[in-house]
């Protein structure tokens, strides 16, 4: 299994996804199953538990970001993204008291939704430059200054030769520009972009 468990130390619960198309709540003391929620795809993403709301969010290979009530596993909402969601979402508190959930999918699209309702606040769907094939991603990051960055590990192939290319999506998200691309000398083709 690839999923990393999320912990609820207050209520003694562990939340974890599995490749058998399920998301589970387990009793921390003995590992017994409290509840299981079925999805249409494997759950390889790390979950995010929020003690204030007593909900848990997780992504699935069925293209959904799910929000469940932690006490009984009932569905609050499912947000469809068009591609597998395999990374842990981020909960970003706002001065208004509302929180924003920010996450990405395996197609490198980034979404911001209302954490309580699942309503779309914004989304950025990156269109790769023509002639490039890009594989892999790492997820989103947030700093207390309110900036959302996308961290991506890319393999860029093009023109019959393997070349690396720097791709910085952080400023692109904020400025509405799709991708900034700078060629670098021949190498392994693996690129880290903060």
């Amino acid at each position: 299994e690839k999923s990393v468990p999320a912990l609820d130390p207050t209520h003694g619960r562990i939340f974890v996804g599995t490749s058998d198309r399920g998301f589970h709540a387990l009793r921390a003391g003995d590992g017994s199953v409290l509840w299981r929620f079925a999805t249409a795809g494997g759950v390889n993403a790390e979950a995010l538990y929020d003690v204030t709301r007593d909900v848990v969010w997780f992504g699935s290979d069925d293209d959904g970001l799910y929000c469940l009530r932690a006490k009984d596993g009932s569905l609050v909402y499912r947000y469809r993204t068009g591609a597998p969601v395999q990374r842990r979402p981020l909960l970003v508190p706002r001065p208004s008291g509302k929180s924003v959930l920010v996450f990405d999918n395996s197609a490198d699209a980034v979404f911001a939704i209302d954490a309580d309702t699942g309503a779309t606040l914004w989304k950025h769907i990156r269109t790769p430059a023509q002639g490039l094939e890009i594989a892999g991603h790492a997820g989103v990051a947030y700093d207390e200054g309110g900036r959302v960055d996308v961290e991506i590990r890319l393999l860029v192939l093009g023109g019959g030769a393997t070349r690396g290319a720097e791709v910085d999506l952080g400023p692109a998200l904020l400025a509405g520009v799709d991708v900034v691309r700078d060629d670098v000398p021949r190498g392994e083709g693996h690129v880290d972009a903060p």
Side-chain angles (χ1 to χ4, degrees), residues 129-170:
Q130 199 168 27
L132 291 179
E133 180 182 330
I134 301 176
H137 75 284
V140 294
Y142 168 77
D143 70 25
E144 293 299 321
R147 182 177 161 184
V148 175
D149 286 329
V150 178
E151 179 185 359
I152 299 181
R153 185 169 194 72
L154 301 174
L155 173 61
V156 180
L157 303 174
T162 302
R163 297 184 308 180
E166 288 189 28
V167 180
D168 183 356
L169 291 181

Side-chain angles (χ1 to χ4, degrees), residues 92-103:
V92 180
R94 307 310 285 168
S96 66
K98 287 280 198 177
S99 293
V100 176
L101 200 68
V102 181
F103 58 97

Side-chain angles (χ1 to χ4, degrees), residues 50-107:
D50 180 46
V51 67
T52 305
R53 291 172 177 82
D54 197 33
V55 299
V56 61
W57 293 277
F58 66 93
S60 173
D61 289 348
D62 66 8
D63 94 349
L65 183 285
Y66 291 85
C67 179
L68 305 180
R69 288 180 186 84
K71 67 180 178 180
D72 60 10
S74 60
L75 181 67
V76 177
Y77 60 82
R78 176 180 184 236
Y79 188 91
R80 296 189 66 160
T81 71
V85 179
Q86 298 179 331
R87 302 288 183 254
R88 183 178 191 249
L90 296 173
L91 187 61
V92 180
R94 307 310 285 168
S96 66
K98 287 280 198 177
S99 293
V100 176
L101 200 68
V102 181
F103 58 97
D104 67 343
N105 66 14
S106 63

